[in-house]
Amino acid sequence: MTEVPRQAQEMDDIWSRGCRGADLKPEEQKRFAAMARSRSHTFTMGMDHARKNADENYVLGLIKGLARELQGAPGLLAIWERMDISESEDGEQVSLMVEKLQQDVH
């Protein structure tokens, strides 16, 4: 029974360190990249749902939300920039929003 919480805790640790851009062991890097792909898939599903419902406010909220997440997570941003989704129309909107947020901070 303690195996699941320990495994979940390890995954949380990998996610946290990966998002910060900390050095990960090769196996941890693979897990982090898989979690990042899952996060981008969740974003894509949310965008598809929002567009089907013609809810542009929700679309904008998803873009801003992911941009804020990426802006605060340099390791996640680095993976995002290497993913195909970042070159899609929605991905480019997210990346532009990240740039704007970074300029606002500096």
Side-chain angles (χ1 to χ4, degrees):
M1 196 85 165
T2 60
E3 182 65 26
V4 174
R6 187 174 61 87
Q7 187 177 32
Q9 187 177 27
E10 288 172 4
M11 297 303 282
D12 285 346
D13 180 59
I14 291 169
W15 178 254
S16 177
R17 289 185 298 120
C19 284
R20 287 193 315 265
D23 288 333
L24 299 175
K25 296 174 188 171
E27 186 59 37
E28 292 174 330
Q29 183 61 38
K30 288 179 188 176
R31 287 182 175 178
F32 179 66
M35 288 186 276
R37 283 190 302 275
S38 178
R39 176 64 185 96
S40 72
H41 181 68
T42 301
F43 171 74
T44 300
M45 290 187 326
M47 292 295 284
D48 290 345
H49 178 74
R51 289 226 164 85
K52 285 178 187 171
N53 292 313
D55 190 341
E56 288 305 311
N57 287 329
Y58 192 65
V59 166
L60 185 58
L62 288 170
I63 290 169
K64 285 181 177 179
L66 182 56
R68 280 189 213 101
E69 183 178 350
L70 293 172
Q71 190 264 337
L76 185 57
L77 178 59
I79 288 183
W80 167 264
E81 290 172 340
R82 294 190 307 260
M83 297 172 92
D84 290 341
I85 188 174
S86 70
E87 297 177 14
S88 70
E89 184 178 333
D90 292 334
E92 288 179 357
Q93 291 298 314
V94 170
S95 296
L96 287 171
M97 184 66 67
V98 170
E99 289 176 22
K100 182 182 181 319
L101 290 170
Q102 289 173 335
Q103 290 173 357
D104 290 348
V105 170
H106 300 320

